[in-house]
Amino acid sequence: MHDVVVIGAGAAGIAAALELTRMGIRPLILDVGYRGQKHEGRIEENFYEHRRKHDTFDVMIGSRHQGLANLFSEKIVPVKLTSPDMEFVTRNADRLAPITATEFAPIQSFASGGLANAWGAGLYRFTDRDLAAFPVSEADLRPYCDHLTREIGISGEDDDLTPYFGSTDDLLPPIRLSHNIGRMYGRYLDKRQKFKGRIALGHPRAGVLTQPHDGRPALGYDNLEFWQDTAAIYKPQLTLDKLIDRDLVDYRSGILVSAWTETDDGVRIDGLQVEDQREISFAGKQVIMAAGAINTSKIVLTSLQDHQTELKLLENPALQIPMVLPSSIGRKLDLGSFGLVQLNLVWESETFDTLIQGSLMEVTSPRRAEFFSSFPFAARQSLAMIRQLLPAMVVMQLFWPGSHQKPARLRLDDGNGLCLSGQPNTLDMGKIGEVLAAMRRLGAYTHPALIVRVPTGHAIHYAGTLPMRDKPGRYECDRNGRLAGTDRIHIADSATFPELPAKNMSFSMMANAMRIARDMVTGR
Ligand SMILES: Cc1cc2nc3c(=O)[nH]c(=O)nc-3n(C[C@H](O)[C@H](O)[C@H](O)COP(=O)(O)OP(=O)(O)OC[C@H]3O[C@@H](n4cnc5c(N)ncnc54)[C@H](O)[C@@H]3O)c2cc1C
């Protein structure tokens, strides 16, 4: 019998396993565990340089036309997931875990390393303000955040966002800003007193290396973020591979866990071998569940054979705001920029009575075709327009707290699939005037017709189905993640979050998973 069985090898499961190995425990990790092909290093120069010399069909469209997925499927997915190199991230998800969804577009991963293989690596500490509804504090998470900061290599800076982002210890230098975003930031630094303390800008906390770290290279500013894996951007898979190489974990891929049963002296875990569909069982003294909030909840409901209960699922409502800097129209495209988040914005919004966080990005990495449908002209004119406007465009994604929208409801259907019913994104665009005015002061303009309400589910921050409480009730966990009514089942992913702050949540989820693993073992 294994001391600890971890179910799932995404960000949460790998963080929990890492902490167990630090305590001398060799966990069994059960995972479906698809892997991508190793394409890192296939392109060794700036993407635009490469494109001038080579055909890029393979890289951008792919042999199975993965890059065109959003054109031919009713199920639209976030752009990065249409990149051929990212195909493995969502491989077979609909088959392995069917979901009948209304007003919610779930994205699931059965990859080794999970959804984080495609993430933007915006990695933020929850502060006490973010944790107000949690039975844990910033101080409880701090040792784990500190350890992860050193493990991952996080860039950032002590700036106006430090009160919102917490400790700056051990940060690497911030990501270099592109021309447009650098201009906006320069103006902000000149005019920040005009924002009356309600809007602040600063550097992101990003798992993006700005100098070599732990044998990994620094970022090349090569615009390949969408098209080719780079070790400069951290993925939890890197940590898992290290643990496997050092034989510190027993990692079993190809296993789809369906349910657990507590026995007198442990837990039996039942599942299927994905390849031949044969049943298989494992035994452990303790179980840590980290299959992602949706699949963890499914396994819990299946284990308890409960087809009635509806669990509440939180997600961050979000808006995507394309903006143009008129001063950059007609300029050459900035080819040496970083294509993911370069700056963050925090808005103490009076109109929404809450804290809202934004991410500012360049648009040099995605395909130009992504913007094609936004222009109401014939193809040739649209192309000309894109050529003129793209070098002058930036995009801001704004996140609201999960509590700002009624939660979705998740239930086991009669065939052991899931039913998920959500809410349309109804964020009131009439109330974002203050932030748009701030952007204009920084030289960036938008038009209401360009602003997109991100479909519910596409923020890809799923949480809250089995929340931690001081006094947990049914389908809730105690502060150590132990599921009420069980002795040996601990939940380590974001299913345990009682609230979803307006902040990318994975880093704090990883820190919390480490805390849960340690407290489970030490019996704190
Ligand atoms: C394009 C994109 C950008 C993102 N950007 C950011 C960002 O910048 N910052 C941020 O904080 N977050 C970001 N996210 C979200 C982030 O990736 C997820 O929140 C995080 O990866 C979730 O990790 P997880 O461990 O909870 O679950 P998952 O990543 O869903 O992993 C689940 C794991 O469990 C396994 N599993 C599932 N079910 C079973 C089963 N039944 N049996 C066995 N194994 C199972 C899977 O194989 C997988 O290994 C982004 C996501 C995407 C897709």
Side-chain angles (χ1 to χ4, degrees), residues 232-308:
I233 301 180
Y234 174 82
K235 280 120 202 151
Q237 185 64 46
L238 292 166
T239 297
L240 178 62
D241 284 345
K242 245 183 346 190
L243 298 179
I244 294 171
D245 286 350
R246 294 177 191 165
D247 198 25
L248 295 174
V249 295
D250 182 359
Y251 174 70
R252 293 282 303 269
S253 60
I255 308 292
L256 180 70
V257 171
S258 47
W260 38 255
T261 317
E262 286 197 286
T263 58
D264 287 343
D265 58 350
V267 185
R268 198 187 77 221
I269 300 125
D270 294 312
L272 285 179
Q273 298 182 155
V274 175
E275 200 162 308
D276 57 14
Q277 295 291 296
R278 282 178 42 190
E279 291 180 2
I280 187 163
S281 295
F282 303 87
K285 291 183 193 153
Q286 303 274 4
V287 167
I288 292 184
M289 299 199 57
I294 293 177
N295 280 300
T296 287
S297 310
K298 178 178 178 180
I299 296 168
V300 166
L301 290 170
T302 307
S303 303
L304 302 175
Q305 273 306 299
D306 182 346
H307 294 260
Q308 307 298 324

Side-chain angles (χ1 to χ4, degrees), residues 199-219:
I199 290 180
L201 260 68
H203 293 275
R205 302 290 170 88
V208 177
L209 298 185
T210 48
Q211 58 191 40
H213 177 81
D214 195 22
R216 292 160 47 214
L219 186 71

Side-chain angles (χ1 to χ4, degrees), residues 86-102:
M86 291 289 135
E87 181 273 337
F88 74 102
V89 178
T90 51
R91 188 179 300 159
N92 289 341
D94 290 344
R95 186 165 65 73
L96 294 175
I99 299 182
T100 310
T102 49

